Amino acid sequence: MREGRQEGRREARQEGETKLLRRQLTRRFGPLPSWAEERLGQAGETELEEWGDRVLECRSLKEVFGGSA
């Protein structure tokens, strides 16, 4: 039961990170294309954190995601 709660918390945290990053990206670069939405939906915690850092310094959406769409 404890493991289930921990997993639930981890999933909720990841969903929150995804939601926040989506808002930041949209505010900075405008509406997100489908490929960006797909990348966000498939991303793990580490990727979300990296992209969250990059959104502050990159000049394009593709650059945030590592230059590949």
Side-chain angles (χ1 to χ4, degrees):
M1 190 158 173
R2 185 177 181 192
E3 289 178 20
R5 280 186 274 175
Q6 288 177 338
E7 178 65 21
R9 287 184 191 128
R10 187 192 65 74
E11 288 176 6
R13 184 174 54 248
Q14 187 167 339
E15 287 175 18
E17 289 178 6
T18 301
K19 183 177 179 179
L20 177 60
L21 181 56
R22 182 179 284 115
R23 288 181 60 206
Q24 291 173 329
L25 290 169
T26 300
R27 185 169 182 143
R28 177 109 192 246
F29 301 110
L32 300 180
S34 59
W35 64 263
E37 288 286 355
E38 187 175 326
R39 295 282 305 268
L40 284 172
Q42 296 175 353
E45 190 173 345
T46 302
E47 286 177 307
L48 292 170
E49 290 173 357
E50 289 176 11
W51 296 339
D53 291 340
R54 289 183 196 165
V55 74
L56 299 173
E57 53 199 35
C58 291
R59 295 179 188 247
S60 73
L61 190 57
K62 286 185 179 181
E63 193 177 346
V64 171
F65 288 101
S68 60

Coordinates of all heavy atoms in Angstrom, one line a residue:
M1 N 0.8 -1.2 0.0 CA 0.0 0.0 0.0 C 0.9 1.3 0.0 O 0.6 2.2 -0.7 CB -0.9 0.0 1.2 CG -1.9 1.0 1.2 SD -3.2 0.4 2.3 CE -4.3 1.8 2.4
R2 N 1.9 1.2 0.8 CA 2.9 2.3 0.8 C 3.5 2.6 -0.5 O 3.6 3.8 -0.9 CB 3.9 2.1 1.9 CG 4.9 3.2 2.1 CD 5.8 2.9 3.2 NE 6.7 4.0 3.4 CZ 7.8 4.0 4.2 NH1 8.1 2.9 4.8 NH2 8.5 5.0 4.3
E3 N 3.9 1.5 -1.2 CA 4.5 1.7 -2.5 C 3.5 2.3 -3.5 O 3.9 3.1 -4.3 CB 5.0 0.3 -3.0 CG 6.2 -0.2 -2.3 CD 6.6 -1.6 -2.8 OE1 6.2 -1.9 -3.9 OE2 7.3 -2.3 -2.1
G4 N 2.3 1.9 -3.4 CA 1.2 2.5 -4.3 C 1.1 4.0 -4.1 O 0.9 4.7 -5.0
R5 N 1.1 4.4 -2.8 CA 1.0 5.9 -2.5 C 2.2 6.6 -3.1 O 2.1 7.7 -3.6 CB 0.9 6.1 -1.0 CG -0.5 5.9 -0.5 CD -0.6 6.3 0.9 NE -0.2 5.0 1.6 CZ -0.1 5.0 2.9 NH1 -0.3 6.0 3.7 NH2 0.2 3.8 3.5
Q6 N 3.4 6.0 -2.9 CA 4.6 6.7 -3.4 C 4.6 6.8 -4.9 O 5.0 7.8 -5.5 CB 5.9 5.9 -3.0 CG 6.2 6.0 -1.5 CD 7.4 5.2 -1.1 OE1 7.7 4.2 -1.7 NE2 8.0 5.5 0.1
E7 N 4.1 5.7 -5.6 CA 4.0 5.8 -7.0 C 3.0 6.8 -7.5 O 3.2 7.6 -8.4 CB 3.6 4.4 -7.6 CG 3.4 4.3 -9.1 CD 4.7 4.5 -9.9 OE1 5.8 4.4 -9.3 OE2 4.6 4.9 -11.1
G8 N 1.9 6.9 -6.7 CA 0.9 7.9 -7.0 C 1.4 9.3 -6.9 O 1.2 10.2 -7.7
R9 N 2.2 9.5 -5.9 CA 2.8 10.9 -5.7 C 3.8 11.2 -6.8 O 3.9 12.3 -7.3 CB 3.6 10.9 -4.3 CG 2.6 11.0 -3.1 CD 3.4 11.1 -1.9 NE 2.5 10.9 -0.7 CZ 2.8 10.1 0.3 NH1 3.9 9.4 0.3 NH2 1.9 10.0 1.3
R10 N 4.6 10.2 -7.2 CA 5.6 10.4 -8.3 C 4.8 10.8 -9.5 O 5.2 11.7 -10.2 CB 6.4 9.2 -8.5 CG 7.6 9.4 -9.5 CD 8.2 8.1 -9.9 NE 7.4 7.2 -10.6 CZ 7.0 7.4 -11.9 NH1 7.4 8.5 -12.5 NH2 6.2 6.6 -12.5
E11 N 3.8 10.1 -9.8 CA 3.0 10.3 -11.1 C 2.4 11.7 -11.0 O 2.4 12.5 -12.0 CB 1.9 9.3 -11.3 CG 2.5 7.9 -11.7 CD 1.4 6.9 -11.8 OE1 0.2 7.2 -11.6 OE2 1.8 5.7 -12.0
A12 N 1.9 12.1 -9.8 CA 1.2 13.4 -9.7 C 2.3 14.5 -9.8 O 2.0 15.6 -10.5 CB 0.6 13.5 -8.3
R13 N 3.5 14.3 -9.3 CA 4.6 15.3 -9.4 C 4.9 15.4 -10.9 O 5.1 16.6 -11.4 CB 5.8 14.9 -8.6 CG 6.9 15.9 -8.6 CD 8.0 15.5 -7.6 NE 8.5 14.2 -7.9 CZ 8.4 13.1 -7.0 NH1 7.8 13.3 -5.9 NH2 8.9 12.0 -7.3
Q14 N 5.1 14.3 -11.6 CA 5.4 14.4 -13.0 C 4.4 15.1 -13.8 O 4.7 15.9 -14.7 CB 5.7 13.0 -13.6 CG 6.3 13.0 -15.0 CD 6.8 11.6 -15.4 OE1 7.1 10.8 -14.5 NE2 6.9 11.4 -16.6
E15 N 3.1 14.8 -13.5 CA 2.0 15.5 -14.3 C 2.1 17.0 -14.0 O 1.8 17.8 -14.9 CB 0.7 14.9 -13.8 CG 0.4 13.6 -14.3 CD -0.9 13.0 -13.8 OE1 -1.8 13.8 -13.2 OE2 -1.1 11.8 -13.8
G16 N 2.4 17.4 -12.8 CA 2.5 18.8 -12.5 C 3.6 19.5 -13.2 O 3.5 20.6 -13.7
E17 N 4.8 18.8 -13.3 CA 5.9 19.3 -14.0 C 5.6 19.4 -15.5 O 6.0 20.4 -16.1 CB 7.1 18.4 -13.8 CG 7.7 18.4 -12.4 CD 8.9 17.5 -12.3 OE1 9.3 16.8 -13.3 OE2 9.4 17.4 -11.1
T18 N 4.9 18.5 -16.0 CA 4.5 18.5 -17.4 C 3.6 19.7 -17.7 O 3.8 20.5 -18.6 CB 3.8 17.2 -17.9 OG1 4.7 16.1 -17.7 CG2 3.4 17.3 -19.3
K19 N 2.6 19.9 -16.8 CA 1.7 21.0 -16.9 C 2.4 22.4 -16.9 O 2.1 23.2 -17.7 CB 0.6 20.9 -15.9 CG -0.5 21.9 -16.0 CD -1.6 21.7 -14.9 CE -2.6 22.8 -15.0 NZ -3.7 22.6 -14.0
L20 N 3.3 22.5 -15.9 CA 4.0 23.8 -15.8 C 4.9 24.0 -17.0 O 4.9 25.2 -17.5 CB 4.8 23.8 -14.5 CG 5.7 25.0 -14.3 CD1 4.9 26.3 -14.2 CD2 6.5 24.8 -13.0
L21 N 5.6 23.0 -17.4 CA 6.5 23.2 -18.6 C 5.6 23.6 -19.8 O 6.0 24.4 -20.6 CB 7.3 22.0 -18.8 CG 8.3 22.0 -20.0 CD1 9.2 23.2 -19.9 CD2 9.1 20.7 -20.1
R22 N 4.5 22.9 -20.0 CA 3.6 23.2 -21.1 C 3.2 24.7 -21.1 O 3.2 25.4 -22.1 CB 2.4 22.3 -21.1 CG 1.5 22.6 -22.3 CD 0.3 21.6 -22.2 NE 0.7 20.3 -22.7 CZ 0.7 19.2 -21.9 NH1 0.2 19.3 -20.6 NH2 1.0 18.0 -22.3
R23 N 2.9 25.2 -19.9 CA 2.5 26.6 -19.8 C 3.6 27.5 -20.1 O 3.5 28.5 -20.8 CB 2.0 26.9 -18.4 CG 0.6 26.3 -18.1 CD 0.1 26.6 -16.7 NE 0.0 28.0 -16.5 CZ 0.1 28.6 -15.3 NH1 0.3 27.9 -14.2 NH2 0.0 29.9 -15.2
Q24 N 4.8 27.2 -19.6 CA 6.0 28.0 -19.9 C 6.3 28.1 -21.4 O 6.6 29.1 -21.9 CB 7.2 27.5 -19.1 CG 7.1 27.7 -17.6 CD 8.2 27.1 -16.8 OE1 8.7 26.1 -17.2 NE2 8.5 27.7 -15.7
L25 N 6.3 26.9 -22.0 CA 6.6 26.8 -23.4 C 5.6 27.6 -24.3 O 6.0 28.3 -25.2 CB 6.7 25.3 -23.9 CG 7.8 24.5 -23.3 CD1 7.6 23.0 -23.6 CD2 9.2 25.0 -23.9
T26 N 4.3 27.4 -23.9 CA 3.3 28.1 -24.7 C 3.4 29.6 -24.5 O 3.3 30.4 -25.5 CB 1.9 27.7 -24.2 OG1 1.8 26.2 -24.4 CG2 0.8 28.4 -24.9
R27 N 3.7 30.1 -23.3 CA 3.9 31.5 -23.1 C 5.1 32.1 -23.8 O 5.0 33.2 -24.4 CB 4.0 31.8 -21.6 CG 4.1 33.2 -21.3 CD 4.0 33.5 -19.8 NE 4.0 34.9 -19.6 CZ 3.3 35.5 -18.7 NH1 2.5 34.8 -17.9 NH2 3.3 36.8 -18.6
R28 N 6.1 31.3 -23.9 CA 7.4 31.8 -24.6 C 7.3 31.6 -26.1 O 7.8 32.5 -26.8 CB 8.5 31.0 -24.0 CG 9.9 31.3 -24.7 CD 10.8 32.0 -23.7 NE 11.9 32.6 -24.4 CZ 13.1 32.2 -24.2 NH1 13.4 31.3 -23.3 NH2 14.1 32.7 -24.9
F29 N 6.8 30.5 -26.6 CA 6.8 30.2 -28.0 C 5.5 30.2 -28.7 O 5.5 30.0 -29.9 CB 7.6 28.9 -28.2 CG 9.0 28.9 -27.7 CD1 9.3 28.1 -26.6 CD2 10.0 29.7 -28.2 CE1 10.5 28.1 -26.0 CE2 11.3 29.6 -27.7 CZ 11.6 28.9 -26.6
G30 N 4.4 30.4 -28.0 CA 3.1 30.3 -28.6 C 2.5 28.9 -28.6 O 3.1 28.0 -28.0
P31 N 1.4 28.7 -29.3 CA 0.8 27.4 -29.2 C 1.7 26.3 -29.7 O 2.5 26.4 -30.6 CB -0.4 27.5 -30.2 CG -0.7 29.0 -30.3 CD 0.7 29.6 -30.1
L32 N 1.7 25.1 -28.9 CA 2.6 24.1 -29.2 C 2.2 23.2 -30.4 O 1.0 22.8 -30.4 CB 2.8 23.2 -28.0 CG 3.3 23.9 -26.7 CD1 3.5 22.9 -25.6 CD2 4.7 24.6 -27.0
P33 N 3.1 22.8 -31.3 CA 2.7 21.9 -32.3 C 2.5 20.5 -31.8 O 3.0 20.2 -30.6 CB 3.9 22.0 -33.3 CG 5.0 22.5 -32.5 CD 4.4 23.3 -31.4
S34 N 1.9 19.7 -32.5 CA 1.6 18.3 -32.1 C 2.9 17.5 -31.7 O 2.8 16.7 -30.7 CB 0.8 17.5 -33.1 OG 1.5 17.4 -34.3
W35 N 4.0 17.7 -32.4 CA 5.2 17.0 -32.0 C 5.7 17.3 -30.6 O 6.2 16.5 -29.9 CB 6.3 17.2 -33.1 CG 6.8 18.5 -33.2 CD1 6.5 19.5 -34.1 CD2 7.9 19.2 -32.4 NE1 7.2 20.6 -33.9 CE2 8.1 20.5 -32.9 CE3 8.6 18.7 -31.3 CZ2 9.0 21.3 -32.3 CZ3 9.5 19.6 -30.8 CH2 9.7 20.9 -31.3
A36 N 5.5 18.6 -30.3 CA 6.0 19.0 -28.9 C 5.1 18.5 -27.9 O 5.5 18.0 -26.8 CB 6.0 20.6 -28.9
E37 N 3.8 18.5 -28.1 CA 2.8 17.9 -27.2 C 3.1 16.4 -27.0 O 3.1 15.9 -25.9 CB 1.4 18.1 -27.7 CG 0.9 19.5 -27.6 CD 0.5 19.9 -26.2 OE1 0.6 19.1 -25.2 OE2 0.2 21.1 -26.0
E38 N 3.4 15.7 -28.1 CA 3.8 14.3 -28.0 C 5.0 14.1 -27.1 O 5.1 13.2 -26.3 CB 3.9 13.7 -29.4 CG 4.1 12.2 -29.4 CD 4.2 11.7 -30.8 OE1 3.5 12.2 -31.7 OE2 4.9 10.7 -31.0
R39 N 6.0 14.9 -27.4 CA 7.3 14.8 -26.6 C 7.0 15.0 -25.1 O 7.5 14.3 -24.3 CB 8.3 15.8 -27.0 CG 8.8 15.6 -28.5 CD 9.9 14.5 -28.6 NE 11.0 14.6 -27.8 CZ 12.2 15.2 -28.1 NH1 12.3 15.8 -29.2 NH2 13.2 15.1 -27.3
L40 N 6.2 16.0 -24.8 CA 5.8 16.2 -23.4 C 5.1 15.1 -22.8 O 5.4 14.7 -21.6 CB 5.0 17.5 -23.3 CG 5.7 18.8 -23.4 CD1 4.7 20.0 -23.5 CD2 6.7 19.1 -22.3
G41 N 4.2 14.5 -23.5 CA 3.4 13.4 -23.0 C 4.2 12.1 -22.8 O 3.9 11.3 -21.9
Q42 N 5.3 12.0 -23.4 CA 6.2 10.8 -23.3 C 7.4 11.0 -22.4 O 8.1 10.0 -22.2 CB 6.6 10.3 -24.7 CG 5.5 9.9 -25.6 CD 6.0 9.6 -27.0 OE1 7.1 9.8 -27.4 NE2 5.1 9.1 -27.9
A43 N 7.6 12.2 -22.0 CA 8.8 12.5 -21.2 C 8.8 12.0 -19.8 O 7.8 11.8 -19.2 CB 9.0 14.0 -21.2
G44 N 10.0 11.6 -19.4 CA 10.3 11.2 -18.0 C 10.6 12.4 -17.2 O 10.8 13.5 -17.7
E45 N 10.8 12.2 -15.9 CA 11.1 13.2 -15.0 C 12.4 14.0 -15.3 O 12.5 15.2 -15.3 CB 11.2 12.7 -13.6 CG 11.3 13.7 -12.5 CD 11.2 13.1 -11.1 OE1 10.8 11.9 -11.0 OE2 11.5 13.8 -10.1
T46 N 13.4 13.2 -15.7 CA 14.7 13.8 -16.0 C 14.6 14.7 -17.2 O 15.1 15.8 -17.2 CB 15.8 12.7 -16.3 OG1 15.9 11.9 -15.1 CG2 17.1 13.3 -16.6
E47 N 13.9 14.3 -18.3 CA 13.8 15.1 -19.5 C 13.0 16.4 -19.2 O 13.4 17.5 -19.6 CB 13.0 14.4 -20.6 CG 13.8 13.3 -21.3 CD 13.0 12.6 -22.3 OE1 11.9 12.0 -21.9 OE2 13.5 12.5 -23.4
L48 N 11.9 16.3 -18.4 CA 11.1 17.4 -18.0 C 12.0 18.5 -17.3 O 11.9 19.7 -17.5 CB 9.9 17.0 -17.2 CG 8.9 16.2 -17.9 CD1 7.9 15.6 -16.9 CD2 8.2 17.0 -19.0
E49 N 12.8 18.0 -16.4 CA 13.7 18.9 -15.7 C 14.7 19.6 -16.6 O 14.9 20.8 -16.5 CB 14.4 18.2 -14.5 CG 13.5 17.7 -13.4 CD 14.2 16.9 -12.4 OE1 15.4 16.5 -12.6 OE2 13.5 16.5 -11.4
E50 N 15.3 18.8 -17.5 CA 16.2 19.4 -18.5 C 15.6 20.5 -19.3 O 16.1 21.5 -19.5 CB 16.8 18.3 -19.3 CG 17.8 17.4 -18.6 CD 18.3 16.3 -19.5 OE1 18.1 16.3 -20.7 OE2 18.9 15.4 -18.9
W51 N 14.4 20.1 -19.9 CA 13.7 21.0 -20.7 C 13.2 22.3 -19.9 O 13.2 23.4 -20.5 CB 12.5 20.4 -21.4 CG 12.8 19.2 -22.3 CD1 14.0 19.0 -22.9 CD2 12.0 18.2 -22.7 NE1 14.0 17.9 -23.7 CE2 12.7 17.3 -23.5 CE3 10.7 17.8 -22.4 CZ2 12.2 16.2 -24.1 CZ3 10.1 16.7 -22.9 CH2 10.9 15.9 -23.8
G52 N 12.9 22.1 -18.7 CA 12.5 23.2 -17.8 C 13.6 24.2 -17.7 O 13.4 25.4 -17.6
D53 N 14.8 23.7 -17.5 CA 16.0 24.6 -17.5 C 16.3 25.3 -18.8 O 16.5 26.5 -18.9 CB 17.2 23.8 -17.1 CG 17.2 23.3 -15.6 OD1 16.4 23.9 -14.8 OD2 17.9 22.4 -15.3
R54 N 16.1 24.5 -19.9 CA 16.4 25.1 -21.2 C 15.4 26.2 -21.7 O 15.8 27.0 -22.4 CB 16.4 24.0 -22.3 CG 17.6 23.0 -22.2 CD 17.5 22.0 -23.3 NE 18.3 20.9 -23.1 CZ 18.3 19.8 -23.7 NH1 17.4 19.6 -24.7 NH2 19.1 18.8 -23.5
V55 N 14.2 26.1 -21.2 CA 13.2 27.0 -21.7 C 13.6 28.5 -21.3 O 13.2 29.4 -21.9 CB 11.8 26.7 -21.1 CG1 11.7 27.1 -19.6 CG2 10.7 27.4 -21.9
L56 N 14.5 28.6 -20.3 CA 14.9 29.9 -19.9 C 16.0 30.5 -20.8 O 16.2 31.7 -20.8 CB 15.5 29.8 -18.4 CG 14.5 29.4 -17.4 CD1 15.2 29.2 -16.0 CD2 13.4 30.4 -17.2
E57 N 16.7 29.7 -21.5 CA 17.8 30.2 -22.3 C 17.8 29.9 -23.8 O 18.5 30.5 -24.5 CB 19.1 29.6 -21.7 CG 19.1 28.1 -21.6 CD 20.1 27.5 -20.7 OE1 20.4 28.1 -19.7 OE2 20.6 26.4 -21.0
C58 N 16.9 29.0 -24.2 CA 16.8 28.7 -25.7 C 16.0 29.7 -26.4 O 15.1 30.3 -25.9 CB 16.2 27.3 -25.8 SG 17.3 26.0 -25.3
R59 N 16.3 29.9 -27.7 CA 15.6 30.8 -28.6 C 14.5 30.2 -29.4 O 13.7 30.9 -30.0 CB 16.6 31.5 -29.5 CG 17.6 32.3 -28.7 CD 18.6 32.9 -29.7 NE 19.7 33.6 -29.0 CZ 19.9 34.9 -29.0 NH1 19.1 35.7 -29.7 NH2 20.9 35.4 -28.3
S60 N 14.4 28.9 -29.4 CA 13.4 28.2 -30.2 C 12.9 27.0 -29.5 O 13.6 26.4 -28.6 CB 13.9 27.8 -31.6 OG 14.8 26.7 -31.5
L61 N 11.7 26.6 -29.8 CA 11.1 25.4 -29.3 C 11.9 24.1 -29.6 O 12.2 23.3 -28.7 CB 9.7 25.2 -29.8 CG 8.8 24.2 -29.2 CD1 8.6 24.4 -27.7 CD2 7.4 24.2 -29.8
K62 N 12.4 24.0 -30.8 CA 13.2 22.9 -31.2 C 14.5 22.8 -30.4 O 15.0 21.8 -30.0 CB 13.6 22.9 -32.7 CG 12.4 22.5 -33.5 CD 12.8 22.4 -35.0 CE 11.6 22.0 -35.8 NZ 11.9 21.9 -37.2
E63 N 15.1 24.0 -30.1 CA 16.3 24.0 -29.3 C 16.0 23.5 -27.8 O 16.9 22.9 -27.2 CB 16.8 25.5 -29.2 CG 18.2 25.6 -28.7 CD 18.7 27.1 -28.8 OE1 18.1 27.9 -29.5 OE2 19.7 27.3 -28.1
V64 N 14.9 23.9 -27.3 CA 14.5 23.4 -25.9 C 14.5 21.9 -25.9 O 15.0 21.2 -25.0 CB 13.1 23.9 -25.5 CG1 12.6 23.2 -24.2 CG2 13.1 25.4 -25.3
F65 N 14.0 21.2 -26.9 CA 13.9 19.8 -27.0 C 15.1 19.1 -27.5 O 15.1 18.0 -27.9 CB 12.7 19.4 -27.8 CG 11.4 19.6 -27.1 CD1 10.6 20.8 -27.5 CD2 10.9 18.8 -26.2 CE1 9.4 21.0 -26.8 CE2 9.7 19.0 -25.5 CZ 8.9 20.2 -25.9
G66 N 16.2 19.9 -27.6 CA 17.5 19.3 -28.0 C 17.7 19.3 -29.5 O 18.5 18.6 -30.0
G67 N 17.0 20.2 -30.2 CA 17.2 20.4 -31.6 C 16.6 19.4 -32.5 O 16.8 19.4 -33.7
S68 N 15.9 18.4 -32.0 CA 15.2 17.4 -32.8 C 13.7 17.4 -32.5 O 13.3 17.4 -31.4 CB 15.8 16.0 -32.6 OG 15.7 15.7 -31.2
A69 N 13.0 17.3 -33.6 CA 11.5 17.2 -33.4 C 11.0 15.8 -33.7 O 11.5 15.1 -34.4 CB 10.9 18.2 -34.3

